[in-house]
Amino acid sequence: MGLTTHCGAVWKTGGLTMSVGAALAEARERAGLSVRQLSERTRIRETVIQRFEGDDFSVGDFYTRGHLRTIASDLGLDPDELVRQYAQEHPGGDSPVRTSALFGGAAVLRERGRRGSGWTMAVAVALAIVVIVVVARMLGGSGDRTGPTAVRVPAPAQHGQAHHEGAREGRSLEEAFGPGLVVVKVTTRKPSWIAVKDAKGKPIFEGTLPEGKTTTYSARDRVKLVIADAGAVRLVVNGRDLGAPGKDGQMVRRTFAAGGPSPR
């Protein structure tokens, strides 16, 4: 008993006309495929295939025709004949989603856009104000910025400061803050959690630095670091490149004193 193409009734087996769903199920079984395997091959959800095989086409005419063609092509059936029989079995069936509805939605959106032009102008003005404020803050020299996932613990200015690359152009941090300063620049090649404290143990920064971020921290006398992933960062202390302080995944503690980059 096998599938055949027949004039008038598309799918027949043993003299009996088969429904579209039955034809799909038999073709899939003859191909030795499970519903899951057919779903993976066609990128159509398993539940949709199961409904089709049960002659349930409630997903709508627009999607049904497309899915039927995809499944038929994969199973070696004639897509045009299968869609034709589907149309005969479901004549004039209303579809929840039709092409006209898809493109008609654009006209509705355009009409709403015209009515909401005043609101759009208000949003544009608000965005312009935000841009002006951001530019003003950047030009104001506030170089204290952290990554989007960082949690910054503020510290008094006399104990320690954090600066991002380019915050004070034209002068080194040693020149800017005077002698006895420890300057540690941290550059991440992948995200890493770090904690930075000054000589008295007061926090300067604690959080996760994102990948590709360069941040500079400074404090009087010494800077203490805890790095969760030592291989993920590169350190430059008082102008000297020390490279990675450890291996990937290794947590390290480092203390750097004024006058030299050697860890203590």
Side-chain angles (χ1 to χ4, degrees):
M1 183 179 295
L3 287 174
T4 60
T5 301
H6 192 280
C7 296
V10 177
W11 310 106
K12 284 191 175 182
T13 177
L16 298 176
T17 302
M18 300 177 64
S19 68
V20 171
L24 291 177
E26 180 167 322
R28 175 181 58 77
E29 293 171 357
R30 286 183 174 275
L33 299 174
S34 65
V35 172
R36 173 173 294 183
Q37 290 171 328
L38 182 59
S39 173
E40 292 172 352
R41 288 162 61 114
T42 60
R43 304 298 183 185
I44 298 174
R45 294 197 305 271
E46 292 181 44
T47 53
V48 173
I49 295 175
Q50 291 171 341
R51 289 179 181 178
F52 280 10
E53 292 185 357
D55 290 309
D56 178 356
F57 304 104
S58 56
V59 297
D61 183 75
F62 180 77
Y63 292 113
T64 295
R65 290 172 181 266
H67 289 341
L68 285 179
R69 289 184 179 278
T70 300
I71 296 172
S73 297
D74 190 84
L75 296 178
L77 302 177
D78 186 334
D80 292 334
E81 290 294 337
L82 191 66
V83 171
R84 187 176 297 115
Q85 180 169 338
Y86 158 75
Q88 292 175 356
E89 294 178 1
H90 303 272
D94 291 334
S95 168
V97 180
R98 291 188 179 275
T99 306
S100 59
L102 291 175
F103 292 100
V108 174
L109 291 177
R110 286 195 297 270
E111 179 62 25
R112 290 180 179 176
R114 286 193 293 269
R115 288 191 300 232
S117 58
W119 178 85
T120 302
M121 180 61 70
V123 172
V125 172
L127 288 176
I129 294 173
V130 171
V131 170
I132 292 172
V133 172
V134 171
V135 172
R137 292 187 63 182
M138 291 176 65
L139 295 177
S142 176
D144 189 21
R145 293 176 295 164
T146 60
T149 59
V151 178
R152 185 178 182 278
V153 181
Q158 64 270 24
H159 294 290
Q161 300 187 28
H163 309 268
H164 289 278
E165 201 70 3
R168 295 176 177 267
E169 298 179 355
R171 295 193 301 166
S172 67
L173 288 171
E174 291 88 345
E175 293 172 335
F177 294 97
L181 189 72
V182 184
V183 181
V184 179
K185 182 167 70 173
V186 182
T187 301
T188 57
R189 66 178 182 85
K190 60 181 179 179
S192 179
W193 180 92
I194 70 169
V196 186
K197 296 182 179 180
D198 65 9
K200 296 182 179 181
K202 291 188 176 182
I204 299 174
F205 173 83
E206 180 178 340
T208 300
L209 295 179
E211 178 181 350
K213 193 72 173 180
T214 297
T215 310
T216 302
Y217 305 97
S218 61
R220 301 290 179 184
D221 299 327
R222 66 185 61 216
V223 171
K224 302 177 181 180
L225 294 177
V226 179
I227 305 173
D229 188 350
V233 304
R234 191 190 71 199
L235 302 180
V236 177
V237 180
N238 289 346
R240 181 177 174 184
D241 191 345
L242 301 183
K247 300 179 180 179
D248 286 344
Q250 178 185 9
M251 175 177 281
V252 299
R253 298 175 183 271
R254 295 287 186 268
T255 300
F256 299 99
S262 301
R264 300 180 182 178

